[in-house]
Amino acid sequence: MRLVWLLTISLVAAVSQSEAADDKPAEHSATEKQAIEQVRKSGGSVMEIAQNDNRLDVAFHLADSEVKDEQLAPLAKMPKLYALNLRGTAITDAGLAHIANAQELVRLHLEQTSIGDGALKHLAKLEKLAYLNLYGTKVTDAGLQHLTGLKNLKKVYLWQTEVTDAGVETLKKTLPEIVVIRGLSLAKPEPEKKEEPKKEDAKKPEPKKEAPKKDEPKKEEPKKEDKPKK
C-alpha cells in the first residue's frame, strides 16, 4: 500500500509540473528580444501585459526625444505586440507600415499625431484590433473605409477629426456594435439679436413756469395826525 501511495503522489506531482509548464508562456525569440532592446534605446517602454501572458505593451508617448517613423521599425519584429501608444509623436502615415502585420494588436493610440487617411490603410488587416484612438488627427470619412473589415473593432475616438456625421453612419452600418466617441461639440453661437431702439415716451409738456411776481411797492398807511394838544 505504501508503494502505491508513493507512486500516486509522484504521478500527481508530475502532472502538476506538466500543467505548470504548459501554462508558462514561451520565451521571446532572440529576434524579438533584440527588437525590444531597440525600442527601449529609442526612448520607448516595453512591458509584458501579465505574469503568465508575454504579449507586449509598447509605449512611445513618454519618450524624452522626438519619435519618428524610424523608431517604429523594430515593431515589425514583435509578433506578440498587444498594445501600442504613439500619442503625440511625430510619426507619419508611412510609419504605420511597420505594424501592418501585427496580428495580435488589440489597442492602438494614435491621438494628437499628424496622421491621415493613408495611415489607416495599414490597419486593414489587424483583425484583433478592438480599440483605436484617432483624436486630433487628420482622418476623414475616406479613411474610415479602411476599418470596415475589422469585425472586432468596438471603440473608436474621432474627436477633433475631419470625419462627418455621414462618415460615422456609414461605418456603423458595417460595424453595428462599434461605439464612436466624438467628444463634446461646441454649440454654434446664436446670431445676435438686434435690439430695437426703445420708443421714448412722448415727453409731456412741462408746465410753464410762472414768471416770478415783481414785488409791488408797499402802500404806506396814512399817518395818523397828531391830535392837537389841549
Side-chain angles (χ1 to χ4, degrees), residues 73-125:
L75 300 178
K77 301 175 183 178
M78 293 183 181
K80 297 175 184 176
L81 182 62
Y82 168 83
L84 176 61
N85 193 330
L86 297 171
R87 174 166 59 89
T89 59
I91 61 168
T92 68
D93 292 358
L96 291 188
H98 295 299
I99 62 169
N101 294 313
Q103 296 298 316
E104 295 297 319
L105 189 63
V106 174
R107 298 177 60 84
L108 179 58
H109 287 264
L110 298 173
E111 64 266 32
Q112 295 182 318
T113 62
S114 61
I115 66 156
D117 296 338
L120 300 190
K121 71 180 181 181
H122 299 301
L123 310 183
K125 296 179 181 179

Side-chain angles (χ1 to χ4, degrees), residues 39 44-47 56-60 75 78 81 83-86:
V39 168
S45 67
V46 184
M47 296 171 49
L56 300 174
D57 185 342
V58 177
F60 282 96
L75 300 178
M78 293 183 181
L81 182 62
L84 176 61
N85 193 330
L86 297 171

Side-chain angles (χ1 to χ4, degrees), residues 42-189:
S42 62
S45 67
V46 184
M47 296 171 49
E48 293 184 351
I49 65 173
Q51 187 173 2
N52 59 345
D53 189 339
N54 66 354
R55 287 179 296 172
L56 300 174
D57 185 342
V58 177
F60 282 96
H61 65 294
L62 297 177
D64 295 332
S65 58
E66 190 175 47
V67 175
K68 297 182 179 180
D69 293 347
E70 52 266 30
Q71 276 95 325
L72 305 187
L75 300 178
K77 301 175 183 178
M78 293 183 181
K80 297 175 184 176
L81 182 62
Y82 168 83
L84 176 61
N85 193 330
L86 297 171
R87 174 166 59 89
T89 59
I91 61 168
T92 68
D93 292 358
L96 291 188
H98 295 299
I99 62 169
N101 294 313
Q103 296 298 316
E104 295 297 319
L105 189 63
V106 174
R107 298 177 60 84
L108 179 58
H109 287 264
L110 298 173
E111 64 266 32
Q112 295 182 318
T113 62
S114 61
I115 66 156
D117 296 338
L120 300 190
K121 71 180 181 181
H122 299 301
L123 310 183
K125 296 179 181 179
L126 305 184
E127 296 180 355
K128 291 187 179 181
L129 191 65
Y131 172 100
L132 178 60
N133 196 325
L134 298 171
Y135 151 59
T137 62
K138 298 177 181 178
V139 171
T140 71
D141 293 353
L144 296 186
Q145 296 299 315
H146 299 297
L147 307 179
T148 56
L150 304 181
K151 303 304 180 184
N152 287 307
L153 190 58
K154 295 295 185 286
K155 187 176 289 188
V156 176
Y157 285 80
L158 293 172
W159 187 30
Q160 292 187 4
T161 64
E162 297 179 25
V163 173
T164 66
D165 292 341
V168 172
E169 289 305 313
T170 300
L171 182 63
K172 286 183 175 180
K173 286 179 182 178
T174 56
L175 302 175
E177 295 182 5
I178 197 169
V179 175
V180 177
I181 299 169
R182 301 184 69 185
L184 297 175
S185 56
L186 298 177
K188 294 182 180 178

